[in-house]
PDB file of all heavy atoms in Angstrom:
ATOM      1  N   VAL A 699      13.206  14.009 -17.646  1.00  0.00           N
ATOM      2  CA  VAL A 699      12.822  14.833 -18.818  1.00  0.00           C
ATOM      3  C   VAL A 699      13.969  15.822 -19.122  1.00  0.00           C
ATOM      4  O   VAL A 699      14.577  16.382 -18.201  1.00  0.00           O
ATOM      5  CB  VAL A 699      11.505  15.578 -18.583  1.00  0.00           C
ATOM      6  CG1 VAL A 699      11.540  16.449 -17.314  1.00  0.00           C
ATOM      7  CG2 VAL A 699      11.071  16.391 -19.769  1.00  0.00           C
ATOM      8  N   ILE A 700      14.189  15.991 -20.379  1.00  0.00           N
ATOM      9  CA  ILE A 700      15.162  16.979 -20.881  1.00  0.00           C
ATOM     10  C   ILE A 700      14.387  17.987 -21.708  1.00  0.00           C
ATOM     11  O   ILE A 700      13.615  17.629 -22.590  1.00  0.00           O
ATOM     12  CB  ILE A 700      16.259  16.339 -21.735  1.00  0.00           C
ATOM     13  CG1 ILE A 700      17.024  15.281 -20.904  1.00  0.00           C
ATOM     14  CG2 ILE A 700      17.231  17.402 -22.213  1.00  0.00           C
ATOM     15  CD1 ILE A 700      18.003  14.494 -21.708  1.00  0.00           C
ATOM     16  N   CYS A 701      14.550  19.259 -21.387  1.00  0.00           N
ATOM     17  CA  CYS A 701      13.845  20.244 -22.177  1.00  0.00           C
ATOM     18  C   CYS A 701      14.765  21.428 -22.487  1.00  0.00           C
ATOM     19  O   CYS A 701      15.826  21.584 -21.852  1.00  0.00           O
ATOM     20  CB  CYS A 701      12.600  20.744 -21.434  1.00  0.00           C
ATOM     21  SG  CYS A 701      12.970  21.773 -19.990  1.00  0.00           S
ATOM     22  N   LYS A 702      14.365  22.211 -23.444  1.00  0.00           N
ATOM     23  CA  LYS A 702      15.146  23.393 -23.805  1.00  0.00           C
ATOM     24  C   LYS A 702      14.779  24.586 -22.970  1.00  0.00           C
ATOM     25  O   LYS A 702      13.618  24.713 -22.505  1.00  0.00           O
ATOM     26  CB  LYS A 702      14.925  23.697 -25.295  1.00  0.00           C
ATOM     27  CG  LYS A 702      15.533  22.652 -26.239  1.00  0.00           C
ATOM     28  CD  LYS A 702      15.472  23.059 -27.686  1.00  0.00           C
ATOM     29  CE  LYS A 702      16.153  22.041 -28.556  1.00  0.00           C
ATOM     30  NZ  LYS A 702      16.161  22.416 -29.996  1.00  0.00           N
ATOM     31  N   SER A 703      15.713  25.452 -22.782  1.00  0.00           N
ATOM     32  CA  SER A 703      15.508  26.648 -22.009  1.00  0.00           C
ATOM     33  C   SER A 703      14.357  27.463 -22.594  1.00  0.00           C
ATOM     34  O   SER A 703      14.279  27.634 -23.781  1.00  0.00           O
ATOM     35  CB  SER A 703      16.830  27.478 -21.999  1.00  0.00           C
ATOM     36  OG  SER A 703      16.690  28.574 -21.124  1.00  0.00           O
ATOM     37  N   GLY A 704      13.471  27.916 -21.694  1.00  0.00           N
ATOM     38  CA  GLY A 704      12.336  28.712 -22.126  1.00  0.00           C
ATOM     39  C   GLY A 704      11.034  27.942 -22.322  1.00  0.00           C
ATOM     40  O   GLY A 704       9.986  28.537 -22.408  1.00  0.00           O
ATOM     41  N   THR A 705      11.132  26.607 -22.297  1.00  0.00           N
ATOM     42  CA  THR A 705       9.935  25.809 -22.461  1.00  0.00           C
ATOM     43  C   THR A 705       9.408  25.454 -21.065  1.00  0.00           C
ATOM     44  O   THR A 705      10.015  25.700 -20.051  1.00  0.00           O
ATOM     45  CB  THR A 705      10.216  24.521 -23.231  1.00  0.00           C
ATOM     46  OG1 THR A 705      11.199  23.726 -22.527  1.00  0.00           O
ATOM     47  CG2 THR A 705      10.732  24.836 -24.641  1.00  0.00           C
ATOM     48  N   SER A 706       8.166  24.899 -21.060  1.00  0.00           N
ATOM     49  CA  SER A 706       7.520  24.491 -19.813  1.00  0.00           C
ATOM     50  C   SER A 706       7.444  22.962 -19.710  1.00  0.00           C
ATOM     51  O   SER A 706       7.330  22.328 -20.727  1.00  0.00           O
ATOM     52  CB  SER A 706       6.126  25.096 -19.734  1.00  0.00           C
ATOM     53  OG  SER A 706       6.194  26.500 -19.706  1.00  0.00           O
ATOM     54  N   VAL A 707       7.488  22.486 -18.491  1.00  0.00           N
ATOM     55  CA  VAL A 707       7.459  21.083 -18.261  1.00  0.00           C
ATOM     56  C   VAL A 707       6.442  20.772 -17.162  1.00  0.00           C
ATOM     57  O   VAL A 707       6.414  21.447 -16.112  1.00  0.00           O
ATOM     58  CB  VAL A 707       8.851  20.540 -17.807  1.00  0.00           C
ATOM     59  CG1 VAL A 707       8.799  19.084 -17.399  1.00  0.00           C
ATOM     60  CG2 VAL A 707       9.845  20.767 -18.897  1.00  0.00           C
ATOM     61  N   LYS A 708       5.638  19.761 -17.390  1.00  0.00           N
ATOM     62  CA  LYS A 708       4.623  19.381 -16.370  1.00  0.00           C
ATOM     63  C   LYS A 708       5.017  18.011 -15.779  1.00  0.00           C
ATOM     64  O   LYS A 708       5.300  17.061 -16.529  1.00  0.00           O
ATOM     65  CB  LYS A 708       3.219  19.270 -16.993  1.00  0.00           C
ATOM     66  CG  LYS A 708       2.150  18.859 -15.942  1.00  0.00           C
ATOM     67  CD  LYS A 708       0.792  18.645 -16.593  1.00  0.00           C
ATOM     68  CE  LYS A 708       0.108  19.958 -16.902  1.00  0.00           C
ATOM     69  NZ  LYS A 708      -1.295  19.764 -17.324  1.00  0.00           N
ATOM     70  N   ILE A 709       4.959  17.950 -14.469  1.00  0.00           N
ATOM     71  CA  ILE A 709       5.271  16.704 -13.777  1.00  0.00           C
ATOM     72  C   ILE A 709       4.035  16.271 -12.992  1.00  0.00           C
ATOM     73  O   ILE A 709       3.403  17.103 -12.303  1.00  0.00           O
ATOM     74  CB  ILE A 709       6.465  16.916 -12.764  1.00  0.00           C
ATOM     75  CG1 ILE A 709       7.699  17.401 -13.507  1.00  0.00           C
ATOM     76  CG2 ILE A 709       6.735  15.634 -12.028  1.00  0.00           C
ATOM     77  CD1 ILE A 709       8.814  17.845 -12.584  1.00  0.00           C
ATOM     78  N   GLU A 710       3.675  15.003 -13.136  1.00  0.00           N
ATOM     79  CA  GLU A 710       2.484  14.484 -12.444  1.00  0.00           C
ATOM     80  C   GLU A 710       2.865  13.663 -11.243  1.00  0.00           C
ATOM     81  O   GLU A 710       3.832  12.918 -11.262  1.00  0.00           O
ATOM     82  CB  GLU A 710       1.648  13.645 -13.405  1.00  0.00           C
ATOM     83  CG  GLU A 710       0.987  14.382 -14.530  1.00  0.00           C
ATOM     84  CD  GLU A 710       0.068  13.484 -15.328  1.00  0.00           C
ATOM     85  OE1 GLU A 710       0.099  12.245 -15.115  1.00  0.00           O
ATOM     86  OE2 GLU A 710      -0.661  13.986 -16.168  1.00  0.00           O
ATOM     87  N   CYS A 711       2.046  13.767 -10.193  1.00  0.00           N
ATOM     88  CA  CYS A 711       2.209  12.968  -9.001  1.00  0.00           C
ATOM     89  C   CYS A 711       0.879  12.327  -8.681  1.00  0.00           C
ATOM     90  O   CYS A 711      -0.145  13.040  -8.555  1.00  0.00           O
ATOM     91  CB  CYS A 711       2.662  13.878  -7.835  1.00  0.00           C
ATOM     92  SG  CYS A 711       2.842  13.068  -6.240  1.00  0.00           S
ATOM     93  N   ARG A 712       0.871  11.016  -8.610  1.00  0.00           N
ATOM     94  CA  ARG A 712      -0.369  10.282  -8.341  1.00  0.00           C
ATOM     95  C   ARG A 712      -0.222   9.343  -7.136  1.00  0.00           C
ATOM     96  O   ARG A 712       0.782   8.667  -6.994  1.00  0.00           O
ATOM     97  CB  ARG A 712      -0.726   9.429  -9.522  1.00  0.00           C
ATOM     98  CG  ARG A 712      -1.127  10.218 -10.765  1.00  0.00           C
ATOM     99  CD  ARG A 712      -1.579   9.291 -11.900  1.00  0.00           C
ATOM    100  NE  ARG A 712      -1.854  10.062 -13.115  1.00  0.00           N
ATOM    101  CZ  ARG A 712      -3.023  10.570 -13.406  1.00  0.00           C
ATOM    102  NH1 ARG A 712      -4.023  10.434 -12.584  1.00  0.00           N
ATOM    103  NH2 ARG A 712      -3.171  11.247 -14.538  1.00  0.00           N
ATOM    104  N   SER A 713      -1.246   9.375  -6.264  1.00  0.00           N
ATOM    105  CA  SER A 713      -1.327   8.350  -5.232  1.00  0.00           C
ATOM    106  C   SER A 713      -2.147   7.211  -5.821  1.00  0.00           C
ATOM    107  O   SER A 713      -3.258   7.441  -6.247  1.00  0.00           O
ATOM    108  CB  SER A 713      -1.956   8.930  -3.952  1.00  0.00           C
ATOM    109  OG  SER A 713      -3.225   9.473  -4.235  1.00  0.00           O
ATOM    110  N   LEU A 714      -1.580   6.022  -5.855  1.00  0.00           N
ATOM    111  CA  LEU A 714      -2.165   4.929  -6.617  1.00  0.00           C
ATOM    112  C   LEU A 714      -3.188   4.134  -5.825  1.00  0.00           C
ATOM    113  O   LEU A 714      -4.127   3.587  -6.402  1.00  0.00           O
ATOM    114  CB  LEU A 714      -1.073   3.990  -7.142  1.00  0.00           C
ATOM    115  CG  LEU A 714      -0.074   4.607  -8.095  1.00  0.00           C
ATOM    116  CD1 LEU A 714       0.861   3.557  -8.639  1.00  0.00           C
ATOM    117  CD2 LEU A 714      -0.779   5.333  -9.242  1.00  0.00           C
ATOM    118  N   ASP A 715      -3.008   4.012  -4.541  1.00  0.00           N
ATOM    119  CA  ASP A 715      -3.904   3.146  -3.763  1.00  0.00           C
ATOM    120  C   ASP A 715      -4.491   3.835  -2.527  1.00  0.00           C
ATOM    121  O   ASP A 715      -4.940   3.132  -1.608  1.00  0.00           O
ATOM    122  CB  ASP A 715      -3.153   1.862  -3.390  1.00  0.00           C
ATOM    123  CG  ASP A 715      -1.813   2.129  -2.701  1.00  0.00           C
ATOM    124  OD1 ASP A 715      -1.479   3.302  -2.502  1.00  0.00           O
ATOM    125  OD2 ASP A 715      -1.157   1.150  -2.348  1.00  0.00           O
ATOM    126  N   PHE A 716      -4.440   5.127  -2.502  1.00  0.00           N
ATOM    127  CA  PHE A 716      -5.049   5.842  -1.396  1.00  0.00           C
ATOM    128  C   PHE A 716      -5.366   7.243  -1.855  1.00  0.00           C
ATOM    129  O   PHE A 716      -4.898   7.742  -2.859  1.00  0.00           O
ATOM    130  CB  PHE A 716      -4.112   5.876  -0.185  1.00  0.00           C
ATOM    131  CG  PHE A 716      -2.829   6.667  -0.386  1.00  0.00           C
ATOM    132  CD1 PHE A 716      -2.728   7.970   0.028  1.00  0.00           C
ATOM    133  CD2 PHE A 716      -1.758   6.084  -0.989  1.00  0.00           C
ATOM    134  CE1 PHE A 716      -1.537   8.677  -0.129  1.00  0.00           C
ATOM    135  CE2 PHE A 716      -0.562   6.779  -1.173  1.00  0.00           C
ATOM    136  CZ  PHE A 716      -0.464   8.100  -0.741  1.00  0.00           C
ATOM    137  N   GLN A 717      -6.205   7.897  -1.075  1.00  0.00           N
ATOM    138  CA  GLN A 717      -6.571   9.271  -1.357  1.00  0.00           C
ATOM    139  C   GLN A 717      -5.693  10.210  -0.562  1.00  0.00           C
ATOM    140  O   GLN A 717      -5.500  10.018   0.645  1.00  0.00           O
ATOM    141  CB  GLN A 717      -8.073   9.514  -1.079  1.00  0.00           C
ATOM    142  CG  GLN A 717      -8.956   8.759  -1.990  1.00  0.00           C
ATOM    143  CD  GLN A 717     -10.439   9.110  -1.777  1.00  0.00           C
ATOM    144  OE1 GLN A 717     -10.846   9.426  -0.660  1.00  0.00           O
ATOM    145  NE2 GLN A 717     -11.230   9.043  -2.810  1.00  0.00           N
TER     146      GLN A 717
END
Side-chain angles (χ1 to χ4, degrees):
Chain A
V699 57
I700 301 173
C701 70
K702 292 188 176 181
S703 187
T705 61
S706 295
V707 174
K708 180 185 284 189
I709 302 170
E710 291 186 350
C711 177
R712 293 183 184 271
S713 56
L714 298 185
D715 52 0
F716 65 98
Q717 293 186 329

